[in-house]
Amino acid sequence: MHGPITVHSDHRTLLRDGTPFFWLADTCWSAFTNITDEEWDHYLDRRAEQGFTVLQLNTLTQWDRCGAPRTRHPFATEDGIRYDFTRPDPAYFAHAQAMCRRAVDKGFTLALVVMWCNYVPDTWASHIFPDNVLPEELVEPVVRTVCETFREFNPVWIVSGDTDFKSEAARTRYRQVTELVEQYGPGLPKAYHICGRSADLPDWFADHADFYLYQSGHNRAGQDCTFTLAEQFAARTPRRPVINSEPCYEQMGFSHKEYGRFRRSDTRRALWQSLLAGASAGITYGAHGVWNWQRDNAPAQQLIRHPGEEPVHFGEGFLRALSWDKALTFPGAADYAFARRFWLERAPALPEPCQEILAAYTPQVRAARWGQEIVIYLPVNAPLPLQGDWSGYTAEALDLSGAGTRAPVSLDVQADGTTRLGMHPFYEDALLILRANPRA
């Protein structure tokens, strides 16, 4: 089992067992409730083969998971929805502990959410479904149980899940949870998973975090958050490593049931825009069907009826996912694994954003100095003007669509003093890599 993740003295790099560590996570939020032992072993083998290093899991029930009825529950329940928090199920926590043991034996670091926002008063999720807000007097025993169950695995404690901090009630509760985690799971790194497209992490929580997580999310109109939030968190005080811990998921439908799904090219764009804009400590991948553990014949939602009450829909609300075994084969996972290899080849150097070299400011194009190289993510094939004379450099394009093909790119100094990077020959997005010519 690996030791706990620590933070390098540069305040930007994560370390594991003393060496630079790239956070390549997969979101499998509902693992402890929805997955059979055989499925879990298959999942671990597959993600290990692909090079993933971190698993983001929810310690309690993921409120918006697939609505499949065969699930395990951490607390006594009569309807599979509402919990009696005074009656934790020891078998649930023992089984989750056994699942974690198999995961760390495979080399994974676990990033465990302590309390998703639906259990917390006055958050966006508890407004939708208020029946499972954890009573204040039960916060301490629940957090203690979570920490005592999982602390032996050296996890990252993700204190909050998909939360906003807009109300004093929510902030007070998460301050309480943070202090309890520090008491019952000491010496382990902490972070906060906040809601999509938000940089709202109050100063108290920033001071208690070891690194910053943000969520660029699943709203089609909000995809520029991949780089705008990276820039905001990278500039924040205190300085911390930054990770986009929930970009758009491959094959997930757009938020608010807007027609369409995010494809491989969308998830790849989110990846490179995040890394080169300041979220340089790693990246999280998500496959729609894996995070919620969808099965072919299982409903995406459950409809729960109680006498005298309106029916309650419980489950995830996006376009229906393909089954978990199909989602586990989505090709975008390979793009994220490639990014980890690219990062490790250049470690300990990290990308330093340098948008100022672009003569025509196009924010979707991201430029960074990375050691001795300039790395530019070009989402659309077009000539790219650079500030100044780059005739002392050579440039090549790396095809990101899966083939890994490389091709030279022309650099032509213009009469106005700028340099024109020519078009590369590839059909989709590419990395442009500029290196100083040793003969110049």
Side-chain angles (χ1 to χ4, degrees):
M1 181 171 66
H2 291 287
I5 287 176
T6 57
V7 176
H8 192 281
S9 58
D10 66 6
H11 304 292
R12 294 185 61 211
T13 309
L14 298 177
L15 303 173
R16 189 170 72 172
D17 301 329
T19 60
F21 177 72
F22 186 85
W23 175 289
L24 178 56
D26 187 36
T27 45
C28 195
W29 297 124
S30 58
F32 295 155
T33 58
N34 283 37
I35 300 179
T36 69
D37 290 341
E38 294 77 15
E39 291 168 349
W40 182 237
D41 287 336
H42 176 73
Y43 169 81
L44 293 176
D45 287 342
R46 178 62 176 161
R47 287 302 192 229
E49 290 169 358
Q50 293 169 319
F52 283 82
T53 58
V54 179
L55 303 179
Q56 294 178 197
L57 312 172
N58 207 333
T59 60
L60 305 179
T61 304
Q62 178 79 21
W63 80 293
D64 55 351
R65 71 193 187 283
C66 170
R70 354 175 242 179
T71 56
R72 294 176 290 273
H73 295 279
F75 306 97
T77 178
E78 294 183 359
D79 60 7
I81 301 294
R82 297 170 176 87
Y83 286 140
D84 180 352
F85 292 109
T86 66
R87 298 166 58 199
D89 182 0
Y92 170 89
F93 290 99
H95 187 265
Q97 193 176 55
M99 292 176 69
C100 288
R101 191 165 291 112
R102 296 205 293 279
V104 297
D105 286 346
K106 292 282 186 183
F108 292 104
T109 289
L110 303 176
L112 302 178
V113 176
V114 178
M115 195 157 294
W116 206 260
C117 63
N118 60 288
Y119 297 104
V120 173
D122 208 11
T123 64
W124 70 269
S126 60
H127 290 164
I128 294 174
F129 188 74
D131 291 18
N132 268 346
V133 172
L134 186 64
E136 182 178 0
E137 66 273 14
L138 295 176
V139 174
E140 190 272 345
V142 168
V143 175
R144 183 179 71 244
T145 296
V146 167
C147 291
E148 291 177 349
T149 299
F150 300 111
R151 65 190 178 193
E152 69 176 273
F153 304 113
N154 294 326
V156 173
W157 298 123
I158 302 182
V159 177
S160 65
D162 204 21
T163 198
D164 50 40
F165 293 94
K166 293 179 180 178
S167 73
E168 183 56 33
R171 293 190 293 271
T172 298
R173 175 60 56 84
Y174 274 125
R175 284 194 291 266
Q176 180 187 11
V177 175
T178 299
E179 291 167 350
L180 289 167
V181 166
E182 292 172 343
Q183 177 181 351
Y184 293 112
L188 296 169
K190 301 185 303 300
Y192 298 88
H193 181 60
I194 57 181
C195 61
R197 307 179 307 284
S198 174
D200 179 21
L201 185 68
D203 288 344
W204 189 93
F205 298 99
D207 289 340
H208 284 74
D210 292 280
F211 47 93
Y212 296 133
L213 305 179
Y214 71 89
Q215 177 189 170
S216 57
H218 316 289
N219 187 299
R220 184 178 67 163
Q223 288 307 296
D224 283 1
C225 290
T226 57
F227 53 86
T228 59
L229 292 179
E231 291 170 334
Q232 290 178 61
F233 278 103
R236 182 149 186 179
T237 302
R239 195 179 195 190
R240 309 283 195 215
V242 182
I243 297 165
N244 186 350
S245 63
E246 191 169 337
C248 58
Y249 289 172
E250 191 166 5
Q251 283 298 305
M252 194 157 187
F254 304 144
S255 292
H256 309 300
K257 290 290 185 75
E258 186 178 352
Y259 183 77
R261 294 183 187 270
F262 291 106
R263 301 181 181 182
R264 178 184 186 181
S265 57
D266 299 308
T267 63
R268 190 167 60 237
R269 178 183 296 206
L271 152 67
W272 287 105
Q273 288 178 338
S274 300
L275 280 181
L276 298 181
S280 56
I283 191 72
T284 297
Y285 172 75
H288 192 36
V290 168
W291 71 273
N292 51 344
W293 215 253
Q294 180 71 53
R295 290 183 170 86
D296 275 332
N297 298 317
Q301 292 186 329
Q302 289 175 273
L303 182 63
I304 306 298
R305 298 179 184 274
H306 293 275
E309 298 182 13
E310 291 294 320
V312 175
H313 284 281
F314 190 83
E316 56 97 2
F318 295 90
L319 288 175
R320 183 183 174 89
L322 293 173
S323 62
W324 68 268
D325 52 328
K326 297 182 179 70
L328 200 56
T329 68
F330 288 166
D335 297 327
Y336 281 59
F338 168 77
R340 175 178 175 244
R341 296 193 299 272
F342 191 91
W343 188 96
L344 289 172
E345 287 170 358
R346 289 154 180 79
L350 293 176
E352 301 283 353
C354 59
Q355 294 294 100
E356 69 276 3
I357 72 170
L358 303 179
Y361 183 65
T362 303
Q364 288 77 22
V365 176
R366 306 309 301 182
R369 299 182 187 277
W370 202 332
Q372 301 302 309
E373 300 171 330
I374 303 292
V375 178
I376 301 172
Y377 174 70
L378 195 65
V380 176
N381 193 2
L384 184 66
L386 303 180
Q387 297 280 10
D389 184 341
W390 290 78
S391 58
Y393 282 72
T394 59
E396 69 171 353
L398 173 61
D399 182 11
L400 291 175
S401 67
T405 308
R406 296 173 183 262
V409 176
S410 62
L411 284 162
D412 299 311
V413 179
Q414 306 296 295
D416 62 0
T418 63
T419 299
R420 182 180 182 272
L421 269 170
M423 287 178 59
H424 61 73
F426 307 126
Y427 183 69
E428 297 190 49
D429 53 347
L431 288 183
L432 304 181
I433 303 172
L434 281 67
R435 302 180 181 92
N437 190 337
R439 294 170 296 178

